[in-house]
């Protein structure tokens, strides 16, 4: 019998989850839940239903896992605790600073509902967190580095779009090659924000907008750009569509550490991702953790979990025997 | 209270574990067990005892975890099942093909003794296995690549040393850069053994030995060298000592995969290690899993586990709260 999955929210992430489910033969998409009019939402999976979000609780016994594909700013802080009362859930809550608070709320709700909730699944938080944690446990004396990119930052693209005179924009976060090289060479550099990443912006102006003023406004924007070396390119709407319509991303997690009685030996652990589609990769991680949530629930576990709390084998469709024989 | 550790076998790996324990403040080395005369074994930890191997069972209640530092060929197949009756144990059994058999024997022994046994811990098997498994669970449609090196292969060095006329030797396994580059470029190449790695040998001849004959014998040796492009350098004993006394190693685990409804997007996951000291890094992984074995035993679990079966958080000295706040 397949694991019956529901998707709450059908944006880039929801569609990514739908595609990921298709690649996992032990899962089936039962329904997509939407705040829009279901008649106007067309999904790819012909066998699945499109249902109004408010009807979700009626599906309590027809789903094994509900995957929550809303945003971290306003959707998930409400949705994950709400739906964890009815379903085993997985979310991709990615506001790092608010994870402890989110965990506590979701844990209480999932325990009350007798369900398993897995939060902050994806690649950062997610696979990058796992790699930071494993590397820290292995090399207690060392230094961590995380670089993001080259990839599109949705948040930074959005703030540019809100500037007066800007019609559309895409922003790429780019790791500084020389900084990466220094870390790889075991130099353990202390790196400022500016030394780690640069930002490259592709901007389409509205007619009559003042390019110099827009560029200045971008480059001096606090938090988002002021602390970085930022490049701004003005391009046409056609160029933006032609050259910058993808959502690539990726990055690097490194830990350099020392071992030996007198710390005489150096080691470097590096994990990296190069992703054509940020939401589809995130969705693929989520699908694997949906399998884990289902299995943990089958074992009678309840409450909130993160990637740190789940043994790797739960993610795989293969049995323990198969994993030991083929991948160990 | 610290986790009380015993080390069985005091070679490179045992010494590495001793150093790793020093870096983990929640652990203490209680005793080193040896088949040699304890009076002749000098260890670095002044507070620990050196004890005859056959007296180990007497330490049943004085150790939380026994780390088995013997070899996979003849030591561990006997030792791990034997000591799993008395102790929670961790080993680094690395004969991949025999892991299922080893697992079964150790599992029966650990269950009979009410203990936890963690086998095949290190980096391959170990961290590389974990990365293969995670990447396969995330990207079900894709291709795996493992490259080893640049590093010293003990087994290959040993077979060269057994050739007539050879006084000493070191062999390096080296990944082929162009093959790695093709994988990173998403070309999904089918690679033969020869296309993945080259082998470089540094050989000290005995007086009067025939260099050409030795070189020919190395290069044509089945299994070890015949399937590889092998380079042989003849050097002096001094040069070998000066330039090749380290035990570096490392390697790369990659998975390239596709996502999307029509598999339209590519992704690359890469994990790599660059290690100054192969045994010290392996030991550092083992120390983290010794902590996990202790905690699992505290929870009342028993039987044999691998890295696939253990939730990452068990490896870390940090609490769940600390991990979520600092590393997620």
């Amino acid at each position: 019998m397949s694991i019956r999955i529901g998707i709450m929210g059908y944006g880039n992430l929801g569609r990514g989850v739908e595609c990921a489910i298709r690649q996992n033969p032990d899962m089936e998409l039962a329904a997509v839940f939407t705040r829009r009019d279901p008649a106007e939402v067309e999904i790819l999976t012909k066998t699945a239903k499109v249902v109004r979000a408010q009807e979700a609780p009626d599906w309590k016994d027809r789903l094994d896992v509900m995957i929550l594909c809303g945003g971290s700013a306003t959707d998930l802080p409400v949705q994950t605790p709400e739906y964890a009362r009815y379903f085993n859930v997985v979310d991709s809550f990615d506001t790092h600073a608010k994870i402890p608070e989110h965990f506590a709320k979701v844990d209480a709700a999932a325990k009350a509902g007798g369900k398993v909730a897995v939060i902050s699944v994806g690649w950062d938080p997610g696979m990058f967190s796992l790699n930071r944690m494993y590397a820290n446990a292995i090399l207690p004396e060392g230094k961590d580095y995380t670089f993001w990119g080259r990839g599109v930052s949705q948040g930074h693209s959005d703030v540019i779009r809100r500037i007066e005179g800007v019609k559309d924009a895409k922003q790429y976060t780019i790791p500084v090659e020389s900084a990466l090289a220094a870390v790889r060479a075991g130099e353990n550099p202390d790196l400022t924000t500016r030394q780690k990443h640069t930002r490259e912006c592709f901007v389409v102006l509205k007619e009559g907008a003042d390019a110099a003023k827009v560029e200045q406004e971008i480059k001096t924007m606090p938090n988002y750009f002021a602390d970085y070396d930022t490049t701004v390119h003005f391009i046409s709407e056609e160029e933006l569509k032609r050259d910058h319509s993808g959502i690539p991303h990726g990055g690097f997690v490194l830990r350099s550490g020392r071992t030996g009685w007198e710390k005489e030996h150096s080691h470097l652990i590096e994990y990296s991702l190069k992703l054509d589609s940020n939401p589809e990769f995130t969705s693929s991680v989520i699908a694997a953790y949906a399998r884990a949530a289902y299995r943990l629930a089958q074992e009678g576990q309840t409450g909130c979990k993160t990637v740190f709390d789940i043994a790797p084998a739960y993610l795989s469709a293969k049995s323990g025997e198969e994993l030991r024989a083929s991948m160990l």
Side-chain angles (χ1 to χ4, degrees), chain A:
Chain A
M1 219 198 64
S2 304
I3 304 169
R4 299 163 303 172
I5 308 277
I7 292 174
M8 175 65 67
Y10 196 65
N12 283 334
L13 194 63
R15 269 189 298 274
V17 170
E18 182 179 26
C19 296
I21 291 169
R22 191 191 199 194
Q23 292 187 296
N24 286 288
D26 60 337
M27 299 181 190
E28 67 175 282
L29 179 63
V32 168
F33 299 86
T34 177
R35 283 177 295 209
R36 291 177 272 167
D37 175 358
E40 282 168 20
V41 175
E42 202 176 339
I43 65 173
L44 298 162
T45 309
K46 295 307 162 204
T47 52
K49 295 205 159 50
V50 182
V51 181
R52 269 178 218 286
Q54 62 260 43
E55 293 170 22
D58 303 342
W59 284 70
K60 194 177 171 356
D61 300 319
R62 284 184 276 173
L63 297 180
D64 295 308
V65 184
M66 177 75 96
I67 297 177
L68 303 170
C69 297
S72 295
T74 55
D75 298 331
L76 298 176
V78 177
Q79 288 180 352
T80 313
E82 180 183 345
Y83 291 115
R85 296 178 183 276
Y86 304 107
F87 303 102
N88 302 309
V89 297
V90 182
D91 81 15
S92 61
F93 185 78
D94 67 358
T95 313
H96 291 259
K98 293 188 177 169
I99 286 174
E101 179 191 336
H102 188 59
F103 182 93
K105 278 187 199 161
V106 174
D107 191 48
K111 280 181 176 149
K115 300 293 178 185
V116 170
V118 189
I119 62 160
S120 302
V121 175
W123 59 275
D124 197 358
M127 298 312 298
F128 273 20
S129 323
L130 272 179
N131 277 281
R132 282 189 284 264
M133 206 232 86
Y134 273 117
N136 271 271
I138 294 168
L139 296 175
E141 301 189 39
K143 209 164 162 174
D144 292 304
Y145 297 90
T146 300
F147 292 88
W148 295 274
R150 185 176 192 260
V152 172
S153 164
Q154 219 55 62
H156 288 78
S157 302
D158 288 346
V159 295
I160 299 174
R161 282 190 208 104
R162 286 199 285 266
I163 292 173
E164 203 190 307
V166 172
K167 191 168 184 187
D168 204 351
K170 271 276 170 98
Q171 193 270 181
Y172 295 89
T173 305
I174 303 165
V176 174
E177 275 301 329
S178 59
L180 244 177
V183 173
R184 286 188 181 134
E187 294 171 17
N188 290 323
D190 288 310
L191 298 166
T192 62
T193 299
R194 191 177 298 276
Q195 287 169 326
K196 288 182 72 183
H197 297 93
T198 57
R199 301 197 174 277
E200 191 170 18
C201 314
F202 294 87
V203 179
V204 180
L205 291 175
K206 288 181 184 160
E207 230 183 275
D210 179 344
K213 190 162 165 277
V214 168
E215 179 165 348
Q216 177 66 7
E217 200 165 330
I218 293 172
K219 289 185 170 178
T220 57
M221 196 185 295
N223 301 319
Y224 285 91
F225 294 101
D227 296 337
Y228 299 84
D229 289 338
T230 301
T231 317
V232 179
H233 308 278
F234 293 102
I235 61 175
S236 70
E237 199 160 10
E238 293 66 39
E239 287 170 315
L240 190 80
K241 193 169 280 178
R242 188 189 67 206
D243 303 332
H244 304 285
S245 61
I247 322 176
H249 220 312
F252 306 81
V253 172
L254 304 104
R255 184 165 176 85
S256 68
R258 302 190 74 84
T259 66
W261 196 252
E262 302 296 347
K263 302 178 194 171
E264 58 271 31
H265 292 125
S266 291
H267 306 276
L268 183 75
I269 304 174
E270 176 171 348
Y271 180 80
S272 69
L273 296 172
K274 210 172 98 190
L275 313 174
D276 265 7
S277 164
N278 183 354
E280 285 182 8
F281 187 81
T282 300
S283 303
S284 299
V285 181
I286 289 174
Y289 277 95
R291 179 182 290 121
Y294 169 73
R295 291 181 177 169
L296 290 167
Q298 294 279 98
E299 289 180 4
Q301 298 207 38
T302 63
C304 189
K305 317 272 178 193
T306 74
V307 294
F308 297 149
D309 307 311
I310 297 176
Y314 284 96
L315 308 190
S316 172
K318 292 196 161 89
S319 71
E321 291 75 11
E322 288 172 311
L323 289 176
R324 287 191 291 275
S326 67
M327 287 192 198
L328 197 61

